[in-house]
Amino acid sequence: MDTRPGDREFSNGDFYCGEVKGLLPHGKGKYAWLDGTIYEGDWDEGKISGKGTLLWSSGTKYEGDFSGGYLHGVGTMTSPDESVYSGAWRMNVRHGLGRKEYCNSDLYDGSWKEGLQDGRGSYSWTNGNRYIGNWKKGKMCGRGVMRWANGDLFDGFWLNGSRHGSGVYKFADGCLYFGTWSNGLKDGKGVFYPAGSKHPSLKKWCRSLEYDDTGKFVLSRTSSVNVEELRNLSSVTRSLSVKTSASGTAKNSGRISDRFQDVNLRTSDGDFTCHGPSSKSARSSGPGQSEGQDKNRIVYEREYMQGVLIRETITSSVDKSHKIRPPNLPKECRSRTLATFLKGDHNYYLMLNLQLGIRYTVGKITPVPRREVRSSDFGKKARTVMFFPSDGSNFTPPHKSIDFSWKDYCPMVFRNLREMFKLDAAEYMMSICGDDGLTEISSPGKSGSIFYLSHDDRFVIKTLKKSELQVLLRMLPRYYGHVGEHENTLITKFFGVHRITLKWGKKVRFVVMGNMFCTELKIHRRYDLKGSSHGRFTEKIKIQEKTTLKDLDLAYEFHMDKLLREALFKQIYLDCAFLESLHIIDYSLLLGLHFRAPGQLNDILEPPNAISDQESVSSVDVGLAQEISIPPKGLLLVTHEPNSVNTAPGPHIRGSTLRAFSVGEQEVDLILPGTARLRVQLGVNMPAQAHHKLIEDKEESATIELFEVYDVVVYMGIIDILQEYNTKKKVEHKCKSLQYDPMTISVTEPTIYSKRFVDFLHKVFPEER
């Protein structure tokens, strides 16, 4: 290698001194740019490669590895503000394990990705607060523990820097709250244990959250975080809660000063009712209670809405019916596997087979040039059959599951449907067939079907009976035409139908559908509505947070903007007429409600001489009025701006943006104060004002309802459309079960069901007078 020292001044004013190869810097050398930037270190044929020091004219300094002219490898960067990062780099950005000391003495130690905190990491603030757990794109996201300087501690799930999902909050004084959060606010059901009270064992809870057997949180071995410090921090006998200062304003935990990303944290739990009961019923139970029911035996089952306590029940801490469940595993969501479904040791692999088959199906059909659907694409020969041996074949890859046969029904039809619904094939496969797997959820009905949810909540996979599969295939040509003609249809969207045959002959059929409750907002209530009163109620002891309720459980009327309501019923009429033509008379309206807590409740719930948390109030400022206001005053409808909202189609939406009478019949977006701006579509993000009649519960006097009128965001769709009634006997039997008069309905003209169904919905969504 011919290298020699040389000095060279370039025409643009740059200067190089060091070894060269030909005319290029090669070896050791120093390069000075005209703007004052200086590099000294290794070169490789004119490119900065190896180890060296780069000093920018701004004062920023980097010492470490370079490759191909990029900061790449391990190195230390010191900024003019005296912040220092030491760790891994990739292509000029922080990527890998690293430690950053900020100019305000904050400290992050953990994993980075593309310049942002991502993965496991620990962040310590100068005010004494500390978070240890998962990060994503520079924000706390996933499983993590937050300890505040005042001794409070939160152990649970996070999203975009705020508590979101299940968790446990422990106050410094020993109070304990198990519950769920949404965007930093308590939202949903939970249990509050006063200081000194007995609470259930946390061992099961901790194991579900990646704890070891000692109850200490375990980080991956690749993390640079001090695991022993975390173990000392997150003893599961601790919990967290929120305290307000003497002025009532929440303490602020500080801010990460980073040119790549800011992370904001609130130390307040967004709730001023943290220490003991705040409701009248709870307060009145204190002095007069007997020695047998002292505070050591009393706990409070609570339900929050957007940070506001709406319901509270006093129970005993030793009540066996009171249990703490692990996060994201409600009681109705049974923890059984597929092995229990088919009662065979090997059937655990059925879910993996489903993922393998869908990946093969979509991958095979996607490259085929798109064409119009032909009648033959709906026929009995429109099937793809493939055998998947575990060792692989010329057409299938090897896999770790058991051998199975795969049948894909009408692949061209469903490929066109997915494109009609504007679903990207790659995203579809990653959602269902990714490494995260599927989650089994319980069925809200009596069909006995098993439901699976994709890891990102976008798709629902349902097992079908043979008769349901036959109905779907018979109706598929007309269904294809209906959803193609009516883009705003509320009818369930189907994306694929498949069958798995296991090696001992068992056949399992599946249909993939869009999840109507895949939303940016939390669904607080779910209803399956048929317009019938016969047996359409849910026993109170069976109601959990995610229980799907029925017709008689719905105690609300929903008042909507005039044009939104007109669009809703126009499509309901069209969809019902379509289902009538197919002799389908047992469908339901699946209704989901996101509640916005009335701001005036803060005055009701606020303890004497206390000021509510201003930050929490602003985030749920819905401005409830005593008189009806359409649109609701707490939910703001504004002219649609495509650049301000997410217009990407989802698995359950495809139609156009709706128009509202209150905004001059313009297309509209929905603004939720302190939360988001959302696009309004039929059955998606539809604002309404709900009126609820309070019912005094004489049997449970400790239970209190605190409001009558509030704002909601409505989600809906028509489901259960695969039950066909094509004989007089079947029709009469169904009408009897629904308490309909069988003499008013015929096999050829089944209009009575849709009439009762629509009449019921007119009562649920009354027309404004």
Side-chain angles (χ1 to χ4, degrees):
M1 179 174 64
D2 180 20
T3 60
R4 51 190 169 80
D7 296 342
R8 182 177 179 183
E9 184 172 354
F10 299 90
S11 58
N12 61 359
D14 294 351
F15 178 80
Y16 174 75
C17 176
E19 298 175 344
V20 296
K21 181 179 182 181
L23 299 177
L24 299 176
H26 188 86
K28 299 288 185 180
K30 180 178 181 180
Y31 195 103
W33 284 264
L34 183 62
D35 64 0
T37 302
I38 299 175
Y39 169 76
E40 185 172 4
D42 297 332
W43 293 80
D44 183 11
E45 296 185 351
K47 293 184 178 180
I48 301 174
S49 291
K51 293 187 178 296
T53 301
L54 183 61
L55 178 63
W56 284 269
S57 57
S58 63
T60 301
K61 182 180 179 181
Y62 173 82
E63 295 180 86
D65 297 333
F66 294 83
S67 179
Y70 293 96
L71 281 62
H72 192 90
V74 177
T76 299
M77 175 178 282
T78 304
S79 302
D81 61 5
E82 297 184 353
S83 61
V84 179
Y85 170 80
S86 298
W89 295 80
R90 188 178 74 175
M91 303 292 286
N92 286 350
V93 297
R94 298 187 285 268
H95 191 94
L97 296 180
R99 175 187 180 96
K100 182 166 182 178
E101 300 178 32
Y102 296 86
C103 59
N104 62 356
S105 298
D106 288 355
L107 175 66
Y108 174 79
D109 186 2
S111 179
W112 299 75
K113 185 177 180 180
E114 302 298 335
L116 301 174
Q117 298 96 332
D118 200 298
R120 301 277 188 167
S122 167
Y123 196 101
S124 300
W125 286 263
T126 55
N127 60 7
N129 300 336
R130 189 179 187 192
Y131 170 83
I132 303 179
N134 289 316
W135 297 74
K136 187 174 183 180
K137 295 182 179 180
K139 295 184 179 181
M140 297 176 292
C141 192
R143 174 74 178 78
V145 177
M146 179 76 184
R147 182 184 62 182
W148 285 272
N150 65 358
D152 288 356
L153 182 142
F154 175 78
D155 192 340
F157 290 89
W158 300 74
L159 180 66
N160 295 327
S162 298
R163 294 181 290 275
H164 190 90
S166 300
V168 54
Y169 196 109
K170 185 177 182 181
F171 297 82
D173 62 5
C175 296
L176 189 69
Y177 179 77
F178 289 88
T180 57
W181 280 256
S182 178
N183 295 317
L185 299 173
K186 289 178 183 174
D187 206 2
K189 293 184 178 181
V191 183
F192 177 81
Y193 293 88
S197 63
K198 297 180 180 179
H199 55 75
S201 169
L202 303 182
K203 188 174 183 179
K204 184 177 180 181
W205 174 287
C206 298
R207 283 182 175 176
S208 70
L209 295 182
E210 301 178 81
Y211 279 97
D212 63 17
D213 291 337
T214 64
K216 312 295 176 60
F217 180 56
V218 180
L219 289 174
S220 65
R221 294 182 180 180
T222 59
S223 174
S224 63
V225 178
N226 187 320
V227 178
E228 287 302 321
E229 291 184 11
L230 175 58
R231 288 178 173 175
N232 293 333
L233 164 68
S234 59
S235 173
V236 295
T237 59
R238 300 184 179 179
S239 127
L240 350 134
S241 175
V242 162
K243 290 187 178 180
T244 53
S245 62
S247 63
T249 304
K251 306 178 184 72
N252 195 301
S253 62
R255 177 189 297 267
I256 300 175
S257 299
D258 186 359
R259 67 188 182 96
F260 291 103
Q261 183 71 43
D262 285 343
V263 178
N264 294 307
L265 288 176
R266 295 193 297 268
T267 57
S268 172
D269 203 24
D271 177 356
F272 46 81
T273 60
C274 54
H275 290 286
S278 61
S279 62
K280 293 181 180 179
S281 64
R283 285 198 298 266
S284 63
S285 64
Q289 59 189 352
S290 65
E291 289 292 326
Q293 291 187 345
D294 59 20
K295 68 177 183 179
N296 291 336
R297 303 175 65 86
I298 295 297
V299 297
Y300 304 93
E301 294 185 0
R302 293 177 171 177
E303 184 173 1
Y304 289 85
M305 183 185 299
Q306 299 291 300
V308 176
L309 179 65
I310 63 170
R311 185 178 293 109
E312 182 178 81
T313 303
I314 302 175
T315 63
S316 170
S317 62
V318 297
D319 186 355
K320 294 183 179 180
S321 65
H322 179 74
K323 298 180 180 180
I324 294 297
R325 292 181 295 275
N328 296 334
L329 188 62
K331 184 177 180 180
E332 64 165 345
C333 182
R334 293 165 288 181
S335 59
R336 63 179 180 175
T337 65
L338 284 169
T340 62
F341 166 45
L342 295 178
K343 299 180 181 180
D345 294 338
H346 301 291
N347 294 325
Y348 169 79
Y349 300 103
L350 186 61
M351 189 183 302
L352 178 58
N353 295 350
L354 175 65
Q355 293 178 304
L356 288 168
I358 291 178
R359 186 184 294 114
Y360 168 82
T361 296
V362 178
K364 180 179 177 63
I365 195 68
T366 299
V368 178
R370 193 182 189 283
R371 60 170 175 81
E372 292 298 322
V373 172
R374 306 165 187 160
S375 58
S376 59
D377 293 323
F378 297 96
K380 292 184 178 180
K381 293 184 179 180
R383 310 285 190 267
T384 299
V385 180
M386 183 60 63
F387 180 63
F388 283 78
S390 58
D391 295 334
S393 68
N394 293 334
F395 305 99
T396 63
H399 56 84
K400 297 182 180 180
S401 183
I402 55 178
D403 298 351
F404 69 98
S405 293
W406 173 262
K407 178 180 280 190
D408 182 37
Y409 295 88
C410 305
M412 183 58 72
V413 175
F414 285 105
R415 176 255 178 89
N416 281 19
L417 278 173
R418 291 192 293 269
E419 292 190 0
M420 187 186 300
F421 297 139
K422 296 181 172 60
L423 287 180
D424 179 76
E427 292 182 2
Y428 179 70
M429 281 195 295
M430 287 302 298
S431 179
I432 297 176
C433 308
D435 296 334
D436 294 324
L438 304 172
T439 302
E440 181 185 351
I441 57 178
S442 65
S443 169
K446 300 178 181 179
S447 66
S449 297
I450 294 180
F451 291 78
Y452 303 100
L453 193 64
S454 63
H455 73 92
D456 55 5
D457 294 344
R458 299 183 68 194
F459 301 98
V460 174
I461 301 174
K462 176 187 176 183
T463 59
L464 293 178
K465 298 177 183 178
K466 184 176 181 179
S467 60
E468 292 176 320
L469 172 65
Q470 293 171 343
V471 170
L472 177 55
L473 294 177
R474 280 199 299 269
M475 69 179 287
L476 190 57
R478 296 184 63 181
Y479 171 85
Y480 184 87
H482 181 77
V483 299
E485 183 178 356
H486 304 288
E487 67 172 3
N488 288 322
T489 182
L490 294 171
I491 292 178
T492 302
K493 293 175 174 54
F494 298 118
F495 304 115
V497 178
H498 317 286
R499 190 187 76 185
I500 291 175
T501 303
L502 302 174
K503 60 182 180 181
W504 53 87
K506 179 66 180 180
K507 296 178 180 179
V508 187
R509 303 162 185 87
F510 299 91
V511 60
V512 183
M513 306 175 289
N515 178 17
M516 296 177 188
F517 294 154
C518 177
T519 73
E520 299 177 63
L521 304 177
K522 180 176 181 177
I523 302 298
H524 295 100
R525 293 288 187 276
R526 307 154 192 261
Y527 295 90
D528 181 295
L529 306 176
K530 290 184 178 292
S532 171
S533 59
H534 182 60
R536 301 294 296 168
F537 68 94
T538 308
E539 296 180 22
K540 289 186 177 181
I541 60 173
K542 295 182 178 180
I543 296 178
Q544 301 296 327
E545 184 174 1
K546 293 186 178 181
T547 300
T548 301
L549 306 174
K550 300 178 182 178
D551 301 61
L552 295 179
D553 302 317
L554 184 67
Y556 312 113
E557 289 182 353
F558 304 99
H559 298 262
M560 281 186 173
D561 177 278
K562 177 181 177 181
L563 287 185
L564 297 184
R565 184 184 181 278
E566 288 180 359
L568 173 64
F569 276 93
K570 178 181 178 180
Q571 190 60 51
I572 287 176
Y573 286 128
L574 291 170
D575 290 339
C576 287
F578 167 70
L579 295 174
E580 282 178 17
S581 69
L582 296 170
H583 305 287
I584 294 173
I585 61 171
D586 194 23
Y587 47 87
S588 305
L589 183 78
L590 185 61
L591 180 68
L593 304 175
H594 169 80
F595 293 88
R596 305 298 291 181
Q600 71 175 29
L601 288 185
N602 292 330
D603 297 331
I604 299 175
L605 298 174
E606 187 174 1
N609 302 321
I611 301 176
S612 62
D613 181 347
Q614 299 299 320
E615 189 169 358
S616 299
V617 173
S618 64
S619 65
V620 294
D621 182 15
V622 293
L624 179 66
Q626 295 297 327
E627 56 184 280
I628 298 174
S629 173
I630 304 296
K633 290 185 177 181
L635 303 176
L636 181 61
L637 288 175
V638 296
T639 304
H640 174 58
E641 294 183 6
N643 295 330
S644 301
V645 294
N646 181 15
T647 57
H652 62 301
I653 56 177
R654 181 174 60 99
S656 58
T657 304
L658 295 187
R659 300 176 182 271
F661 179 79
S662 58
V663 190
E665 301 188 6
Q666 299 292 316
E667 291 184 344
V668 292
D669 295 333
L670 173 64
I671 294 182
L672 287 75
T675 303
R677 178 178 181 134
L678 306 171
R679 181 186 180 197
V680 180
Q681 295 175 273
L682 198 67
V684 180
N685 301 328
M686 298 185 70
Q689 191 174 79
H691 292 235
H692 173 49
K693 294 182 180 180
L694 296 179
I695 301 176
E696 183 179 357
D697 192 338
K698 296 181 180 180
E699 295 181 0
E700 298 184 26
S701 58
T703 302
I704 55 173
E705 296 277 0
L706 298 174
F707 57 90
E708 296 185 37
V709 182
Y710 42 88
D711 301 322
V712 293
V713 183
V714 179
Y715 300 84
M716 67 186 77
I718 296 176
I719 62 170
D720 295 340
I721 65 170
L722 300 182
Q723 295 293 332
E724 186 180 49
Y725 295 87
N726 53 6
T727 67
K728 184 176 181 180
K729 184 176 181 179
K730 288 182 178 180
V731 171
E732 290 179 349
H733 180 269
K734 190 62 188 177
C735 290
K736 183 178 180 180
S737 67
L738 296 173
Q739 291 190 340
Y740 293 171
D741 182 0
M743 299 301 294
T744 62
I745 186 171
S746 68
V747 175
T748 58
E749 195 174 341
T751 59
I752 186 63
Y753 185 87
S754 62
K755 183 178 185 303
R756 290 281 296 266
F757 181 73
V758 173
D759 287 346
F760 173 74
L761 294 184
H762 274 287
K763 296 178 182 178
V764 176
F765 299 93
E767 185 176 4
E768 295 302 314
R769 298 178 180 177

